[in-house]
Amino acid sequence: AMGMSRTQEFRFLFSIASFLSCIPAYCDGFTPSSYQRPASTPQKNILNAPCTGSYNHQRITHSIGLEACAVNKQREIAPENMFMADGNADGTLSTRSLASSFVIVMCDDIIDSSKSGELQMHWDLVPISQIVPKDDNDDEDGDEVSLKGIGAKAIEAMMGEIPKNDSTASLLLTCSIEDSDWKISVESKGNDLDNDDDYGGLIGIISRVMVQKATQRLESRSAKNILISVPSQDDSSRPFTDTFEIKDVLSDYGNCAFFSELLPNTSKEDLSTMEMSDMVDANGEPIGYIPRPLIHKYNILHRGIGIVVCRDAHINHKTLEKKQLLPDLYVHRRTASKRIFPSLYDMFVGGVATAGEDLKLTAAREVGEELGLTRPSLSDEPLFRCTICTSYNRCVVTVYTYKCDMSVDEIVWQEEEVSWGDFVSYDKVEKAGALSIGRLYDAGKWSGHESEVFMALKAIQDLKIEGSGEEIKWDFVP
């Protein structure tokens, strides 16, 4: 190890340790020559280490779950619900969400004794870095040898224990509900946060989501209007106050005018047609609606769907148990002109659910728009649900399957969107997806936990694939 950097020495020694302890750290014999095997990093028994936001170790996880960078907290639940997110016993997940660099911690039932029993809601915005600190194994040269990617850290923070001490930096939003005066007000207070950071927009968004929940708690609905006061985007210490109709605030499909202060350069016409999406808690349950551009700008946890298009059969839990029953999956390649992920492959059709929309309707709409499949052939129940968490997208995704009968169905795509598409055997997709994960990890772009990478590669080490083998070089949308 003489002459090596500390990172290189660490990896070299761990490779020897892996060999001596017979840890199958790589997929020997199944790695194409164009693929550089991911370097090992220091971890106790890499293949058996507990995962942050651990996956259910079912076959599908290694292909259509892991490939999507899904980080799904799996608990002991009934087999028929094995792939569904499920709140833990203390209800923690229903009181947590993610926005920007913060975990949102929601406490909705607080009585303020100083104001004659006035009901309050307290939401803390706690920096993720306060809950999951920077890894100690970053070397002096800045080389990253972290075992957890940015998505895994965010998931761990959302599901983890929040520090309870005065030194914890956070933003506290307090929402007061005054039934007698038909007034809801939100105040913000920062605790040792960097004043150079601009949190005005984020505070404005989360405050308005709080107001939506608070309006639902009004004891009486006899009034038509309600006075709402929230922190101003430009100066959170100065309130932005306006009167809104209660029915507009509580609209199932959202009211974009409620967010107009946060969209100053948007015309009234554009506001009236802007799509709204639901911010959700860690269980995927809606908290409140937000204009879609703000969802993406502040990387707020929201709802989405995915569809796996299968040839002549659905994938379900029974077929997963019997490999020979797994159908071919439809894979397509994005055009080189696409602004996001040009020329990459995808095994999903998917999209963001609009506010108040039934998820199965979202799935039917998306598969019709993207592939022209309009026959009612979606699975009755979701196959699984997972949380995708990256630096640019946080989404609780509910995945359905679509049984495509090529004797009656015709797949049609837009030429500016898709350059190629076809059905591919399940084994080929699984192998190509796992190797794509490995390349993401090797390039430092894997958002999850390192052990997930090696689980995916281990799952394909015995797969014998017939054909040219070109599929194993496919890079998938991360």
PDB file of all heavy atoms in Angstrom, residues 333-344 415-419:
ATOM      1  N   ARG A 333     -36.180   3.730 -24.912  1.00  0.00           N
ATOM      2  CA  ARG A 333     -35.020   4.625 -24.813  1.00  0.00           C
ATOM      3  C   ARG A 333     -35.452   6.051 -25.128  1.00  0.00           C
ATOM      4  O   ARG A 333     -36.139   6.302 -26.131  1.00  0.00           O
ATOM      5  CB  ARG A 333     -33.921   4.199 -25.783  1.00  0.00           C
ATOM      6  CG  ARG A 333     -32.608   4.964 -25.565  1.00  0.00           C
ATOM      7  CD  ARG A 333     -31.517   4.521 -26.517  1.00  0.00           C
ATOM      8  NE  ARG A 333     -30.221   5.039 -26.106  1.00  0.00           N
ATOM      9  CZ  ARG A 333     -29.096   4.900 -26.805  1.00  0.00           C
ATOM     10  NH1 ARG A 333     -29.120   4.227 -27.964  1.00  0.00           N
ATOM     11  NH2 ARG A 333     -27.974   5.408 -26.357  1.00  0.00           N
ATOM     12  N   ARG A 334     -35.043   6.970 -24.282  1.00  0.00           N
ATOM     13  CA  ARG A 334     -35.371   8.368 -24.480  1.00  0.00           C
ATOM     14  C   ARG A 334     -34.545   8.941 -25.630  1.00  0.00           C
ATOM     15  O   ARG A 334     -33.420   8.496 -25.891  1.00  0.00           O
ATOM     16  CB  ARG A 334     -35.098   9.163 -23.192  1.00  0.00           C
ATOM     17  CG  ARG A 334     -35.936   8.683 -22.026  1.00  0.00           C
ATOM     18  CD  ARG A 334     -35.381   9.163 -20.698  1.00  0.00           C
ATOM     19  NE  ARG A 334     -35.460  10.604 -20.539  1.00  0.00           N
ATOM     20  CZ  ARG A 334     -36.526  11.244 -20.069  1.00  0.00           C
ATOM     21  NH1 ARG A 334     -37.609  10.565 -19.721  1.00  0.00           N
ATOM     22  NH2 ARG A 334     -36.526  12.558 -19.944  1.00  0.00           N
ATOM     23  N   THR A 335     -35.100   9.921 -26.318  1.00  0.00           N
ATOM     24  CA  THR A 335     -34.390  10.522 -27.448  1.00  0.00           C
ATOM     25  C   THR A 335     -33.182  11.324 -26.965  1.00  0.00           C
ATOM     26  O   THR A 335     -33.128  11.781 -25.821  1.00  0.00           O
ATOM     27  CB  THR A 335     -35.311  11.460 -28.252  1.00  0.00           C
ATOM     28  OG1 THR A 335     -35.833  12.460 -27.378  1.00  0.00           O
ATOM     29  CG2 THR A 335     -36.450  10.684 -28.883  1.00  0.00           C
ATOM     30  N   ALA A 336     -32.229  11.504 -27.864  1.00  0.00           N
ATOM     31  CA  ALA A 336     -31.012  12.262 -27.537  1.00  0.00           C
ATOM     32  C   ALA A 336     -31.307  13.737 -27.325  1.00  0.00           C
ATOM     33  O   ALA A 336     -30.500  14.459 -26.722  1.00  0.00           O
ATOM     34  CB  ALA A 336     -29.976  12.084 -28.646  1.00  0.00           C
ATOM     35  N   SER A 337     -32.457  14.213 -27.808  1.00  0.00           N
ATOM     36  CA  SER A 337     -32.804  15.627 -27.678  1.00  0.00           C
ATOM     37  C   SER A 337     -33.496  15.965 -26.366  1.00  0.00           C
ATOM     38  O   SER A 337     -33.766  17.139 -26.095  1.00  0.00           O
ATOM     39  CB  SER A 337     -33.711  16.040 -28.851  1.00  0.00           C
ATOM     40  OG  SER A 337     -34.911  15.272 -28.844  1.00  0.00           O
ATOM     41  N   LYS A 338     -33.798  14.957 -25.545  1.00  0.00           N
ATOM     42  CA  LYS A 338     -34.477  15.218 -24.274  1.00  0.00           C
ATOM     43  C   LYS A 338     -33.591  16.064 -23.363  1.00  0.00           C
ATOM     44  O   LYS A 338     -32.389  15.826 -23.251  1.00  0.00           O
ATOM     45  CB  LYS A 338     -34.822  13.903 -23.569  1.00  0.00           C
ATOM     46  CG  LYS A 338     -35.866  13.066 -24.278  1.00  0.00           C
ATOM     47  CD  LYS A 338     -37.253  13.657 -24.137  1.00  0.00           C
ATOM     48  CE  LYS A 338     -37.793  13.485 -22.735  1.00  0.00           C
ATOM     49  NZ  LYS A 338     -39.182  13.989 -22.616  1.00  0.00           N
ATOM     50  N   ARG A 339     -34.212  17.055 -22.706  1.00  0.00           N
ATOM     51  CA  ARG A 339     -33.451  17.936 -21.822  1.00  0.00           C
ATOM     52  C   ARG A 339     -32.948  17.182 -20.601  1.00  0.00           C
ATOM     53  O   ARG A 339     -31.839  17.425 -20.116  1.00  0.00           O
ATOM     54  CB  ARG A 339     -34.331  19.116 -21.391  1.00  0.00           C
ATOM     55  CG  ARG A 339     -33.603  20.147 -20.522  1.00  0.00           C
ATOM     56  CD  ARG A 339     -34.513  21.326 -20.219  1.00  0.00           C
ATOM     57  NE  ARG A 339     -35.652  20.929 -19.426  1.00  0.00           N
ATOM     58  CZ  ARG A 339     -35.659  20.878 -18.093  1.00  0.00           C
ATOM     59  NH1 ARG A 339     -34.559  21.169 -17.421  1.00  0.00           N
ATOM     60  NH2 ARG A 339     -36.745  20.525 -17.447  1.00  0.00           N
ATOM     61  N   ILE A 340     -33.753  16.254 -20.086  1.00  0.00           N
ATOM     62  CA  ILE A 340     -33.387  15.489 -18.905  1.00  0.00           C
ATOM     63  C   ILE A 340     -33.156  14.035 -19.303  1.00  0.00           C
ATOM     64  O   ILE A 340     -33.966  13.440 -20.002  1.00  0.00           O
ATOM     65  CB  ILE A 340     -34.487  15.569 -17.826  1.00  0.00           C
ATOM     66  CG1 ILE A 340     -34.705  17.022 -17.422  1.00  0.00           C
ATOM     67  CG2 ILE A 340     -34.134  14.735 -16.606  1.00  0.00           C
ATOM     68  CD1 ILE A 340     -35.843  17.227 -16.457  1.00  0.00           C
ATOM     69  N   PHE A 341     -32.056  13.466 -18.913  1.00  0.00           N
ATOM     70  CA  PHE A 341     -31.696  12.068 -19.151  1.00  0.00           C
ATOM     71  C   PHE A 341     -31.754  11.673 -20.632  1.00  0.00           C
ATOM     72  O   PHE A 341     -32.405  10.698 -21.004  1.00  0.00           O
ATOM     73  CB  PHE A 341     -32.592  11.132 -18.340  1.00  0.00           C
ATOM     74  CG  PHE A 341     -32.604  11.426 -16.870  1.00  0.00           C
ATOM     75  CD1 PHE A 341     -33.792  11.598 -16.180  1.00  0.00           C
ATOM     76  CD2 PHE A 341     -31.416  11.530 -16.172  1.00  0.00           C
ATOM     77  CE1 PHE A 341     -33.801  11.871 -14.827  1.00  0.00           C
ATOM     78  CE2 PHE A 341     -31.410  11.810 -14.814  1.00  0.00           C
ATOM     79  CZ  PHE A 341     -32.606  11.977 -14.136  1.00  0.00           C
ATOM     80  N   PRO A 342     -31.110  12.437 -21.508  1.00  0.00           N
ATOM     81  CA  PRO A 342     -31.123  12.075 -22.931  1.00  0.00           C
ATOM     82  C   PRO A 342     -30.479  10.721 -23.171  1.00  0.00           C
ATOM     83  O   PRO A 342     -29.487  10.364 -22.532  1.00  0.00           O
ATOM     84  CB  PRO A 342     -30.316  13.205 -23.585  1.00  0.00           C
ATOM     85  CG  PRO A 342     -29.430  13.721 -22.488  1.00  0.00           C
ATOM     86  CD  PRO A 342     -30.250  13.604 -21.233  1.00  0.00           C
ATOM     87  N   SER A 343     -31.078   9.945 -24.070  1.00  0.00           N
ATOM     88  CA  SER A 343     -30.552   8.656 -24.551  1.00  0.00           C
ATOM     89  C   SER A 343     -30.520   7.555 -23.502  1.00  0.00           C
ATOM     90  O   SER A 343     -30.002   6.469 -23.771  1.00  0.00           O
ATOM     91  CB  SER A 343     -29.136   8.827 -25.138  1.00  0.00           C
ATOM     92  OG  SER A 343     -29.154   9.741 -26.218  1.00  0.00           O
ATOM     93  N   LEU A 344     -31.058   7.791 -22.307  1.00  0.00           N
ATOM     94  CA  LEU A 344     -31.077   6.742 -21.292  1.00  0.00           C
ATOM     95  C   LEU A 344     -32.307   5.842 -21.465  1.00  0.00           C
ATOM     96  O   LEU A 344     -33.307   6.229 -22.058  1.00  0.00           O
ATOM     97  CB  LEU A 344     -31.071   7.345 -19.886  1.00  0.00           C
ATOM     98  CG  LEU A 344     -29.821   8.125 -19.475  1.00  0.00           C
ATOM     99  CD1 LEU A 344     -29.868   8.456 -17.987  1.00  0.00           C
ATOM    100  CD2 LEU A 344     -28.547   7.370 -19.814  1.00  0.00           C
ATOM    101  N   GLU A 415     -42.408  10.577 -31.354  1.00  0.00           N
ATOM    102  CA  GLU A 415     -41.042  10.449 -31.869  1.00  0.00           C
ATOM    103  C   GLU A 415     -40.063  11.385 -31.168  1.00  0.00           C
ATOM    104  O   GLU A 415     -38.882  11.075 -31.053  1.00  0.00           O
ATOM    105  CB  GLU A 415     -41.017  10.706 -33.378  1.00  0.00           C
ATOM    106  CG  GLU A 415     -41.713   9.611 -34.191  1.00  0.00           C
ATOM    107  CD  GLU A 415     -41.563   9.818 -35.680  1.00  0.00           C
ATOM    108  OE1 GLU A 415     -40.916  10.816 -36.061  1.00  0.00           O
ATOM    109  OE2 GLU A 415     -42.079   8.992 -36.447  1.00  0.00           O
ATOM    110  N   GLU A 416     -40.564  12.542 -30.692  1.00  0.00           N
ATOM    111  CA  GLU A 416     -39.664  13.467 -30.007  1.00  0.00           C
ATOM    112  C   GLU A 416     -39.354  13.019 -28.577  1.00  0.00           C
ATOM    113  O   GLU A 416     -38.457  13.545 -27.923  1.00  0.00           O
ATOM    114  CB  GLU A 416     -40.254  14.881 -29.975  1.00  0.00           C
ATOM    115  CG  GLU A 416     -41.554  15.025 -29.202  1.00  0.00           C
ATOM    116  CD  GLU A 416     -42.789  14.761 -30.047  1.00  0.00           C
ATOM    117  OE1 GLU A 416     -42.654  14.122 -31.105  1.00  0.00           O
ATOM    118  OE2 GLU A 416     -43.875  15.188 -29.630  1.00  0.00           O
ATOM    119  N   GLU A 417     -40.104  12.010 -28.096  1.00  0.00           N
ATOM    120  CA  GLU A 417     -39.915  11.528 -26.729  1.00  0.00           C
ATOM    121  C   GLU A 417     -39.131  10.217 -26.661  1.00  0.00           C
ATOM    122  O   GLU A 417     -38.303  10.033 -25.766  1.00  0.00           O
ATOM    123  CB  GLU A 417     -41.289  11.312 -26.066  1.00  0.00           C
ATOM    124  CG  GLU A 417     -42.160  12.545 -25.971  1.00  0.00           C
ATOM    125  CD  GLU A 417     -41.711  13.499 -24.890  1.00  0.00           C
ATOM    126  OE1 GLU A 417     -41.043  13.028 -23.936  1.00  0.00           O
ATOM    127  OE2 GLU A 417     -41.993  14.703 -24.993  1.00  0.00           O
ATOM    128  N   VAL A 418     -39.409   9.301 -27.587  1.00  0.00           N
ATOM    129  CA  VAL A 418     -38.849   7.946 -27.527  1.00  0.00           C
ATOM    130  C   VAL A 418     -38.181   7.611 -28.857  1.00  0.00           C
ATOM    131  O   VAL A 418     -38.745   7.824 -29.931  1.00  0.00           O
ATOM    132  CB  VAL A 418     -39.962   6.920 -27.220  1.00  0.00           C
ATOM    133  CG1 VAL A 418     -39.411   5.501 -27.238  1.00  0.00           C
ATOM    134  CG2 VAL A 418     -40.613   7.220 -25.864  1.00  0.00           C
ATOM    135  N   SER A 419     -36.955   7.056 -28.781  1.00  0.00           N
ATOM    136  CA  SER A 419     -36.237   6.681 -30.007  1.00  0.00           C
ATOM    137  C   SER A 419     -36.336   5.184 -30.301  1.00  0.00           C
ATOM    138  O   SER A 419     -36.109   4.761 -31.433  1.00  0.00           O
ATOM    139  CB  SER A 419     -34.758   7.078 -29.888  1.00  0.00           C
ATOM    140  OG  SER A 419     -34.129   6.393 -28.821  1.00  0.00           O
TER     141      SER A 419
END
